[in-house]
Amino acid sequence: WTATDACGNAASCSQTITVQDTTAPVITCADGMTLECPATPVFSPPTVTDLCDAAPVVTFVEATTPGDCAQGYSVTRTWTATDACGNAASCSQTITVQDTTVPVITCAGAMTVECPVAPEFPPPTVSDLCDAAPAVTFVEVTTPGGCAQEYRITRTWTATDACGNAASCSQTITVEDTTAPVMVIPPDVILECPADTRPAATGMATATDSCGPVGIRHSDAVQTLCGGAKVITRTWTAADECGNSVSQVQGITLEDRTPPEVFCGVVSTYTQGGYGGSGTPAEILEANYIRVFPDGVVVGVDDPSNGTAIPNGLRWEGNAAGLMAIRAFLSQGGGTSGAIGRDALNPLEDCGGGELAHQALTLSLTIRFNELGVIGVGPNNFGSLVYTRAGDSLSGSTVSGLLEAANRALAGFELPAGHSYSSLTALIDNLNQAFHEYGSSAWAANYLGTPRVIVACASDVPPPDRARVRAYDACGGPVSLAVLPDVISEVTCPHRYMISRVWLAWDDCGNTNSCVYHIEVNDTNPPVVVGPVLREVPAGEAWDFTEPEIMDACGTVALTGITTVTNTTGSTTLVAARTWEVVDECGNTATYTQTVRVVDQAAVAQSAFDVDDEGWQLASGSTVGEPTYFPTGGQGSGFVVAGSEGGAADWFWEAPVKFLGNRLSCYDGVLEFALKREVVLPGGEPVEVTLRGAGMILTLQLPQPASTDWTTYKVRLNEHSGWHMKALGRKATQAEVAMVLSTLSNLRICGGECAIEMPVGLDNVALAQPAADPGSAWVLELDRVGPGSVRVRWPALAVGFELEAADSLTSPHWSPVSVTPVIRYGLNEVELGPTQHQRYFRLRKNVP
């Protein structure tokens, strides 16, 4: 301060007053707040006062803090007021932005679609103030409808924003099936019965459905007409699983314009597809085999002598085992059915080496089953059917004859001249095929369709027999039958002509058909002449020829004697033969020869060869054959001739059965025979005779014929004639000769030079008894059989002789032996033990 007076004096003092501003402005911020997204935070300016500074400087800073989601956060703004003196004060305001509002979601409305349209859900509209792309999800619930094709799907959509706020809506789409299936039926048809009217044959309806499977059914309404004709109204219905259906009608007309089938039943009851009757062929065989074949079946010629069929024959017994064997045999060659292998018992397949037997057996079964009426209607005569195919080597044979030839071929026998095994095989195959394919085989159409019955005489013509005609209508209706009058043609004699017999068949619709079979009256059988072929008359007895009895099944005959031959050159017989000719009304002839042989009473067996070889055979080693027979040129009339039958092996004539057996009565008798050789060889081998019996062999050698004329040999049948025991190389005893004769099992004659191929004739063989009893010539034979034991033997021919014994020859006392002899091999035999001491024996004639 300065105080100046008026004078100007001034004095000063100072007072300092300091004005300072240390007070911060007063700043007040607005309260914090929360905003809903999408609002933007707006801060209100704070109120600021300052006592000193009217306008403090206000500044702020912001800090943003993220929230729990993208749309949530908080912003804190801190305001600072600073006055001119730098005093500052601050305050803060926090504004929080949050998203708690769910999105807005809107679904399409419910709808119904027709199956098979698949439900398609449009996406919902979704909006959110804060989230431009909320997440949209959905879940579906399917509810079945009244059928498999109907259902309902409810889809629930959910929109969820980034802050997890979610909203949902639902849409339901219902799928219905109210549309019927679309069906196409077969066209109407007109058929000829017995056509198959099943849908498989007349057409199946087809149907489609947009939604699922369709079931098709049909029902028939049948209007019957004549015979098997009818009209079928077939209603087809297609329905889906939801019960929607559609029906349409198909018309099927079955006309009957085909004539009935008619078969004149001398042959097949077979129809295409199987035999008539019930059951399959296998079942028919099963049911009837043992009944029809109680003794079994033989294919091939059976040789009972050795118990086997030779060489290829097949044999089955009439039992279950035999049935199984036939089944196995018939199934060879790739047959498809288990029991038979082929329909109708007629297998056609190749079965190797057994082919002919295979076919022959099936043909045999076919014939036999038909003969007995097992298959089809009534018995049929397959066997008499005549095979007449031109150019076939077996044409003209009956089926039975063919089967017989097949069996002989199987047994290794030769076929008839002009035929071959291959043609026979082919023929049986052809027959089997014809029977198997009766309806279509050309052979069957020609020869089974018009069968033929062959009878010998007019009286054998069978009357019309309804049971032998098989008629049926393919449509199943009844068939009426009538036989027309027989038509006779080709008459050549009273019992040789042709009959055509026609059966007329008609059905209910008036369709007619006929079948014809021929009855051939053909008397080809010669008359039957019955009488003795050979008569033996004792020497000295009056005799004459006996006129034979004549029989002819058809009519009258004429008998004429044509030749008479008498022969007187034989040494033991006189032979006379007369031949008659018999002619019937159709010219069939038969001849009959009767031979009368005047026999020497002493001959017990003889062969004059007047008629045939009388059973003599040729034996060479193990080979047996037949000699050649010549009806003239022998000592009487006929004789037999043989050459070498075995190459290097000797050959012999071998006597037939009539020379064999118990020939003890021929002891001391004669074996007589005559030989004739074409060439006589100087120094040639002798004639040899062999006798076998009782396990022994006796041989006798005789000189060869001295010329090429007939040479007669007479050999005594006793121990003095030079008979040798072949095994022991010594002369035979009386007992040995008697033993062989008592059981004679073989008589052989070798004509000399037996190993050389040279024809030799044999004639007038006789085995004769002795003219007188050998009497005192009987010989006792003693054999020691043990210490003090002997066996005494003598011929059983010694009738009236008694065995006596003595213990001394100087003063013998002969006494009968009390042991009764046993007869063995034509010998009386006594065996005496050691308790009997007699040492000398004799035979004494005690009967005058």
Side-chain angles (χ1 to χ4, degrees), residues 439-579:
S440 61
S441 164
W443 189 87
N446 292 334
Y447 301 106
L448 295 181
T450 308
R452 175 177 297 187
V453 175
I454 301 175
V455 298
C457 309
S459 59
D460 296 331
V461 174
D465 184 358
R466 170 65 179 81
R468 295 181 65 85
V469 180
R470 184 169 58 90
Y472 67 92
D473 187 63
C475 298
V479 178
S480 301
L481 280 171
V483 64
L484 302 181
D486 288 346
V487 177
I488 298 176
S489 61
E490 303 176 28
V491 180
T492 58
C493 73
H495 301 284
R496 196 171 290 160
Y497 54 90
M498 185 70 71
I499 297 175
S500 296
R501 182 168 290 170
V502 179
W503 284 87
L504 182 66
W506 64 94
D507 62 21
D508 276 0
C509 292
N511 302 303
T512 62
N513 201 353
S514 63
C515 71
V516 59
Y517 64 89
H518 299 148
I519 303 174
E520 181 180 344
V521 181
N522 187 11
D523 182 8
T524 59
N525 297 320
V528 177
V529 186
V530 179
V533 176
L534 176 65
R535 293 171 51 211
E536 292 189 342
V537 180
E541 184 175 305
W543 62 272
D544 198 355
F545 293 106
T546 303
E547 188 168 297
E549 179 183 355
I550 310 302
M551 294 177 290
D552 188 80
C554 298
T556 59
V557 295
L559 174 66
T560 305
I562 54 176
T563 61
T564 301
V565 177
T566 301
N567 169 48
T568 59
T569 61
S571 61
T572 58
T573 60
L574 179 145
V575 178
R578 174 169 293 177
T579 300

Side-chain angles (χ1 to χ4, degrees), residues 346-348 355-356 359-360 362-363 385-406 415-416 419-435 441 443 447:
N346 290 309
L348 306 179
E355 179 183 357
L356 182 60
Q359 296 167 354
T362 55
L363 186 59
L385 185 68
V386 178
Y387 181 78
T388 56
R389 171 164 286 176
D392 193 304
S393 64
L394 295 164
S395 180
S397 303
T398 65
V399 175
S400 292
L402 299 171
L403 186 57
E404 180 182 359
L415 294 180
H419 305 317
S420 69
Y421 182 93
S422 60
S423 70
L424 183 65
T425 303
L427 172 62
I428 294 183
D429 179 79
N430 186 288
L431 291 174
N432 280 331
Q433 186 171 2
F435 296 150
S441 164
W443 189 87
Y447 301 106

